[in-house]
Amino acid sequence: MMNLHSTTAISRRGVLAGGAALGLLGLSGRPLRAETAPTKGGVLKLGIGGGSTTDDFDTRKLTDWVPVNQAYMVMNGLVEIDANNTAQPELFESWEAAEGAVDWTFKVRQGITFHNGKTLTADDILYSLNLHRGDSGSAARSVAAAIKDIVKLDETTVKITLESGNADLPYVLSDYHFLVVPEGFDDWMNPIGTGPFKLERMEPGVRARFVRNESYWKPGCANVDAVEVIVINDIAARTNALMSGQVHAINSVDFKTVDLLGRNPNIEIVKSAGGQHFTFLMDCTQAPFTDTNIRLAIKHAVDREQLLTTALRGYGQLGNDHPIPKTDRFFNAELPQRAYDPEKAKFYLKQAGLDSLSITLSASDAAFAGAVDAAAIFRTAAAGAGIDVTLKREPADGYWNDVWMKAPFCMSYWGGRPTADQMLTIAYESTSAQNDTHWNNARFDSLLTEARALLDEEKRREIYWELQQIIHDDGGAMIPMFGDYLDAVSKKVKGVTPHPMFNLMGARMAEKVWLDA
């Protein structure tokens, strides 16, 4: 999975958390000085957690941080989300919507070549998008299902017709699955893209090396000669690799050690607030989680305040059992915050005909740094509510293939999405391939479709507020907290900025940064 699954927006797309919530911080907590112009050269070494021996470059999968970062090194998307969470043209150079936002016309950027010398055309765009449509098995299938038709008007123009209007379509097309490959391409261990680097070699789940695409089309990017990715799933080992100089940057810093790490004079902590949230997933098709009362009992049996202060060291916000962050323009500000209430948890157990409950929670730090600790904190709190939780520690390797969406009760995370519609569609619509609680609520599906088509912001807000209420009351995800993205970067790396989407500058750090000459 990667629930990377990320985030916030500006102006009519929401208000981005500012100041202390989003920043590149030194020991003092002050923003760093402005960078100088990029320089070329050197080998950037990234220590990234979230890799597996099953990783490849299949854009239909891209289930965790390592494959997503590596895919962005080789391929470009149609639309890029910038550091202000605004949709920017990438391989789609411009776009225009007809009245009602059902029919959209996109211009394909000209003069772009793939690594094999082929010129980018509208046919490549159609092929790359169609990989995710229909019965494709793509993780983005539910997002692509909104597309009724894609046609080439000419070599430089693509028309997309939606099933219903969606004013946020450019944001939808920024999904990291919608990366572009040549028409007919399917050799996913030997990727061909238009991106800043070319794959030189890869040992899945271990390491990979990429070399600069000398004809890369974006000015000021692809500055380093090569990028080496070292897969380091263990957070302690990842931190040690940065401290020892083995790597220049790491993702998903341990919340427990971030303050200590930030005191190192050679390291900067990059903190970004967005839609990243941590989940305890109950499979709504497997007993006992088929009963809404059981799900509500568990949601009242977690001490969210303790989790936030202990597991995240305060680097985040309380969660309220729905995935929309406070920074989203459609956040339901009137939904009461659910609190730790053992008596209410016992009440819901009784409603389910039980005096107590024994369950097994599958946990791994593959889900997020500190997930096993968070599971232990939950177990202690749940005991006070008559819920006996057995922790089953799962290996990091293969977690997203073997545990996520398979275990009845497991831990996970999402990075959010730029819009509420995307987040709710990909994780909660019943037909979504990444509906990781296997939850099915007909009213939710119907309202979600209705909201997407509306151009009236107030009417959309009313519906999105109700959708959050429905998930809060009935959904299978217990969401106790939102966590800031925390990366740690050597001061030798220049051009680093926070990004509300994902770790490592929205998974595009390799493309953007340069090394101190």
Side-chain angles (χ1 to χ4, degrees):
M1 137 192 141
M2 183 172 49
N3 296 344
L4 276 179
H5 316 263
S6 189
T7 222
T8 54
I10 269 190
S11 70
R12 65 175 289 272
R13 306 191 200 285
V15 180
L16 186 64
L22 182 67
L24 184 62
L25 307 176
L27 173 59
S28 65
R30 292 190 298 271
L32 297 182
R33 62 186 179 279
E35 301 285 2
T36 54
T39 57
K40 296 285 187 181
V43 178
L44 176 67
K45 298 181 179 180
L46 302 176
I48 309 181
S52 173
T53 53
T54 59
D55 289 342
D56 59 20
F57 290 83
D58 188 339
T59 60
R60 293 165 294 190
K61 298 190 303 190
L62 299 181
T63 52
D64 210 345
W65 294 121
V66 170
V68 169
N69 275 270
Q70 292 184 160
Y72 271 127
M73 293 177 204
V74 176
M75 295 172 266
N76 289 123
L78 300 168
V79 177
E80 178 178 355
I81 302 299
D82 68 13
N84 294 320
N85 212 62
T86 302
Q88 299 289 352
E90 196 166 9
L91 293 183
F92 275 156
E93 189 173 46
S94 63
W95 49 79
E96 186 177 2
E99 186 68 26
V102 172
D103 293 311
W104 290 75
T105 304
F106 294 86
K107 298 299 289 186
V108 179
R109 192 176 296 275
Q110 296 301 287
I112 308 299
T113 57
F114 288 96
H115 299 155
N116 61 0
K118 180 189 182 301
T119 299
L120 173 73
T121 69
D123 291 314
D124 304 309
I125 304 289
L126 264 62
Y127 174 78
S128 299
L129 280 173
N130 283 331
L131 286 171
H132 309 281
R133 300 180 67 211
D135 189 22
S136 68
S138 169
R141 183 182 65 213
S142 62
V143 178
I147 299 173
K148 183 177 182 179
D149 196 19
I150 312 173
V151 296
K152 179 179 75 171
L153 299 183
D154 55 49
E155 291 302 319
T156 67
T157 312
V158 170
K159 181 182 179 182
I160 296 179
T161 301
L162 301 177
E163 292 288 353
S164 58
N166 190 340
D168 292 331
L169 181 59
Y171 284 80
V172 174
L173 295 176
S174 73
D175 190 294
Y176 56 86
H177 296 94
F178 297 150
L179 300 178
V180 176
V181 294
E183 182 184 13
F185 181 83
D186 62 1
D187 185 2
W188 299 112
M189 288 300 294
N190 298 286
I192 298 294
T194 60
F197 300 94
K198 303 176 183 180
L199 176 66
E200 185 176 271
R201 59 179 181 270
M202 181 175 79
E203 186 179 351
V206 181
R207 62 176 60 236
R209 179 180 169 90
F210 303 81
V211 295
R212 180 167 55 219
N213 173 11
E214 297 295 346
S215 60
Y216 190 49
W217 58 276
K218 287 188 188 179
C221 294
N223 299 303
V224 296
D225 294 334
V227 182
E228 293 182 0
V229 173
I230 304 173
V231 180
I232 315 176
N233 289 325
D234 180 77
I235 182 59
R238 200 155 67 242
T239 302
N240 290 335
L242 178 66
M243 298 279 284
S244 66
Q246 181 186 358
V247 298
H248 292 110
I250 61 173
N251 69 326
S252 302
V253 173
D254 193 332
F255 291 96
K256 296 193 297 291
T257 60
V258 61
D259 291 334
L260 179 65
L261 191 59
R263 290 198 283 270
N264 186 307
N266 301 313
I267 292 171
E268 302 291 353
I269 301 298
V270 189
K271 172 187 171 184
S272 305
Q276 177 175 238
H277 55 279
F278 305 118
T279 56
F280 290 66
L281 301 174
M282 297 171 273
D283 186 337
C284 297
T285 65
Q286 297 194 54
F289 308 110
T290 51
D291 189 331
T292 305
N293 289 301
I294 296 294
R295 304 199 291 268
L296 284 169
I298 287 170
K299 291 174 183 180
H300 284 93
V302 60
D303 190 332
R304 298 160 199 267
E305 296 274 3
Q306 185 184 15
L307 276 177
L308 180 61
T309 57
T310 305
L312 300 191
R313 296 301 194 269
Y315 286 95
Q317 304 281 333
L318 292 178
N320 201 20
D321 302 326
H322 68 77
I324 307 305
K326 291 182 178 179
T327 48
D328 191 283
R329 76 188 194 273
F330 292 130
F331 171 76
N332 186 340
E334 295 181 2
L335 187 62
Q337 173 63 53
R338 186 168 278 147
Y340 178 49
D341 191 335
E343 293 308 311
K344 192 165 283 188
K346 292 175 183 177
F347 166 79
Y348 283 112
L349 287 182
K350 281 190 167 53
Q351 293 294 104
L354 300 173
D355 292 322
S356 62
L357 176 68
S358 295
I359 51 177
T360 298
L361 173 61
S362 294
S364 170
D365 282 348
F368 58 90
V372 174
D373 290 343
I377 293 168
F378 167 64
R379 176 179 59 185
T380 300
I387 300 174
D388 178 48
V389 180
T390 298
L391 296 188
K392 182 182 180 184
R393 293 200 55 164
E394 304 280 4
D397 189 59
Y399 184 81
W400 301 115
N401 289 319
D402 302 331
V403 180
W404 179 66
M405 294 191 71
K406 293 182 176 66
F409 190 31
C410 72
M411 303 186 72
S412 184
Y413 77 97
W414 283 90
R417 282 295 184 274
T419 67
D421 175 70
Q422 276 182 279
M423 187 67 248
L424 297 174
T425 297
I426 200 166
Y428 294 90
E429 192 168 39
S430 63
T431 56
S432 171
Q434 293 197 41
N435 172 3
D436 52 12
T437 58
H438 306 283
W439 180 61
N440 189 330
N441 185 297
R443 177 164 176 79
F444 177 91
D445 285 357
S446 174
L447 285 172
L448 184 62
T449 301
E450 180 183 347
R452 192 180 297 136
L454 291 172
L455 297 179
D456 185 312
E457 286 283 293
E458 284 305 313
K459 289 182 179 176
R460 288 186 85 188
R461 178 175 290 104
E462 287 177 17
I463 294 177
Y464 285 123
W465 279 35
E466 182 174 349
L467 292 173
Q468 290 165 70
Q469 178 87 55
I470 293 172
I471 296 174
H472 172 89
D473 293 340
D474 186 63
M478 188 259 282
I479 305 173
M481 54 192 174
F482 283 72
D484 297 334
Y485 292 113
L486 297 175
D487 299 323
V489 182
S490 164
K491 288 186 178 179
K492 294 178 182 177
V493 182
K494 304 300 180 182
V496 179
T497 58
H499 198 289
M501 282 291 289
F502 308 130
N503 290 94
L504 301 177
M505 297 174 64
R508 294 175 182 255
M509 177 177 281
E511 177 189 27
K512 309 288 188 184
V513 302
W514 62 97
L515 294 175
D516 191 342

